């Protein structure tokens, strides 16, 4: 048969989700569940749509997209209740999730995820331990940590967090994930294997462009720091490999990087701040 439903509620709780002001239109036909005009919040700060196949003889298949723009970061993480409490502040300039996958539980789904993810955050603080612990609980990770803090650790301030990921069968690849603070800009190029819970990336670290230009103009000091043959203070590169819980970081010389990877790092780490823009949704001018 066919079932159609229009939803408009002040509060909607489902497992760890704590949603306020939810509206959507849903249709169920021939074992296909379709969700349209999904909106969350007074100003519809989250909106999206999706479709799921629920045939008994096949694993559940889904495809959907979720977007959020120009909202406080803590407003986004609040949809997970206390899971990421005080873990992230700042302004979420944009979040685009366009994903598809299949499976009857997260362990099966994560190995099939494909699509695109893009995120841009500005001017806030992050607590990595809180975010990690929340993620472990959210995805029911088999080795989720139990963290007992005798003394509260200082939070880390950031200027920009920006990244785009391309996913294929559970492997997320990026060439432009950036974490920028007041004094440095770090970038990651490589892949994260969600199916194997492991990573294989190269990380580059550099001071901000303004500091870079200032120091390189100091006659002797600049040559000592740059080694006399580089025009940038991109001084640290690392390979980071292993499981998400405890990857191994190994310093590597920049001369051992391939031309493509080196070019990516030079473009990101030395770029002016206006490189951090969020792509417009498809179909917009």
């Amino acid at each position: 048969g066919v079932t159609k439903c229009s939803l408009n509620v002040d509060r909607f709780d489902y497992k760890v989700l704590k949603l306020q002001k939810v509206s959507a239109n849903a249709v169920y036909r021939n074992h296909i569940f379709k969700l349209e005009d999904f909106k969350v919040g007074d100003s519809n700060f989250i909106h999206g749509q999706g479709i799921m196949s629920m045939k008994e003889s096949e694993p559940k298949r889904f495809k959907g997209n979720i977007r959020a723009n120009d909202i406080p970061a803590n407003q986004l993480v609040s949809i997970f209740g206390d899971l990421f409490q005080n873990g992230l502040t700042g302004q979420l300039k944009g979040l685009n999730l366009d994903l598809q996958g299949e499976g009857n539980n997260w362990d099966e789904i994560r190995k099939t995820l494909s699509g695109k993810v893009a995120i841009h955050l500005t001017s806030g603080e992050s607590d990595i331990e809180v975010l990690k612990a929340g993620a472990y609980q959210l995805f029911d990770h088999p080795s989720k940590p139990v963290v007992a803090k005798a003394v509260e650790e200082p939070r880390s301030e950031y200027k920009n967090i920006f990244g785009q990921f391309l996913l294929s069968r559970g492997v997320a690849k990026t060439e432009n994930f950036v974490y920028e603070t007041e004094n440095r800009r770090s970038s990651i190029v490589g892949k994260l294997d969600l199916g194997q819970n492991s990573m294989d990336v190269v990380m580059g670290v550099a001071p901000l462009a303004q500091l870079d230009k200032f120091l390189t103009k100091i006659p002797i000091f600049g040559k000592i720091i740059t080694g006399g043959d580089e025009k940038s203070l991109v001084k640290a590169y690392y390979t980071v490999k292993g499981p998400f819980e405890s990857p191994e970081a190994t310093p590597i010389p920049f001369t051992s990087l391939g031309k493509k990877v080196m070019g990516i790092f030079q473009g990101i780490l030395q770029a002016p701040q206006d490189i951090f823009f969020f792509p417009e949704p498809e179909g917009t001018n």
Side-chain angles (χ1 to χ4, degrees):
V2 178
T3 300
K4 297 182 179 181
C5 172
S6 179
L7 177 71
N8 193 334
V9 297
D10 286 332
R11 183 180 176 91
F12 186 91
D13 295 351
Y14 177 72
K15 295 187 177 181
V16 299
L17 292 178
K18 310 293 181 184
L19 307 179
Q20 305 286 342
K21 302 290 184 181
V22 179
S23 64
N25 294 316
V27 178
Y28 182 78
R29 177 188 287 114
N30 297 330
H31 302 285
I32 302 294
F33 179 79
K34 189 174 183 180
L35 189 68
E36 297 179 328
D37 299 323
F38 175 69
K39 300 174 182 178
V40 178
D42 289 320
S43 58
N44 301 328
F45 70 88
I46 294 178
H47 52 278
Q49 58 187 4
I51 186 170
M52 177 179 287
S53 172
M54 305 177 69
K55 298 180 180 179
E56 294 183 1
S57 59
E58 302 174 354
K60 294 182 177 64
R61 295 186 173 90
F62 72 91
K63 181 178 182 180
N65 64 74
I66 294 178
R67 303 186 187 278
N69 296 284
D70 290 318
I71 61 170
N74 56 7
Q75 189 173 352
L76 176 69
V77 297
S78 68
I79 69 174
F80 299 105
D82 296 334
L83 212 57
F84 300 100
Q85 189 172 23
N86 300 321
L88 186 67
T89 66
Q91 187 73 8
L92 177 70
K93 302 298 291 183
L95 172 67
N96 289 357
L97 303 177
D98 193 352
L99 299 172
Q100 62 183 10
E102 63 181 59
N104 296 311
N105 54 56
W106 169 245
D107 191 52
E108 295 177 0
I109 292 173
R110 64 179 179 172
K111 299 175 183 178
T112 66
L113 275 180
S114 298
K116 299 177 182 179
V117 175
I119 187 169
H120 185 191
L121 292 151
T122 63
S123 306
E125 296 181 341
S126 64
D127 188 322
I128 300 300
E129 292 303 319
V130 169
L131 296 177
K132 284 171 57 178
Y136 279 123
Q137 295 180 58
L138 179 63
F139 297 115
D140 194 25
H141 195 279
S143 58
K144 53 191 175 187
V146 178
V147 180
K149 295 183 180 180
V151 179
E152 186 176 353
E153 297 179 3
R155 298 163 63 82
S156 174
E157 294 186 3
Y158 69 87
K159 291 182 63 178
N160 278 291
I161 299 176
F162 175 90
Q164 294 173 315
F165 297 84
L166 183 64
L167 287 90
S168 177
R169 304 300 296 178
V171 178
K173 296 182 179 179
T174 182
E175 293 185 351
N176 67 346
F177 183 80
V178 173
Y179 189 95
E180 180 182 0
T181 68
E182 190 67 32
N183 298 316
R184 69 175 61 90
R185 181 180 293 165
S186 303
S187 181
I188 289 177
V189 174
K191 62 182 181 179
L192 310 175
D193 192 326
L194 304 181
Q196 300 297 322
N197 288 313
S198 64
M199 63 176 64
D200 184 357
V201 302
V202 176
M203 181 176 183
V205 182
L208 293 182
Q210 294 86 343
L211 179 62
D212 182 76
K213 293 178 181 178
F214 172 73
L215 292 178
T216 53
K217 288 181 179 180
I218 301 177
I220 297 180
F221 184 58
K223 286 191 175 183
I224 292 175
I225 291 182
T226 62
D229 58 358
E230 291 183 74
K231 295 181 180 180
S232 170
L233 298 178
V234 181
K235 287 297 147 264
Y237 294 101
Y238 305 87
T239 57
V240 185
K241 297 183 179 181
F244 291 152
E245 300 86 358
S246 55
E248 182 177 346
T250 305
I252 57 174
F254 81 96
T255 52
S256 67
L257 296 175
K259 288 185 177 180
K260 178 181 178 181
V261 175
M262 189 63 185
I264 292 172
F265 278 122
Q266 294 294 327
I268 294 177
L269 296 177
Q270 299 176 47
Q273 185 169 336
D274 58 12
I275 188 177
F276 300 106
F277 68 93
F278 199 71
E280 291 290 334
E282 293 183 7
T284 62
N285 293 325

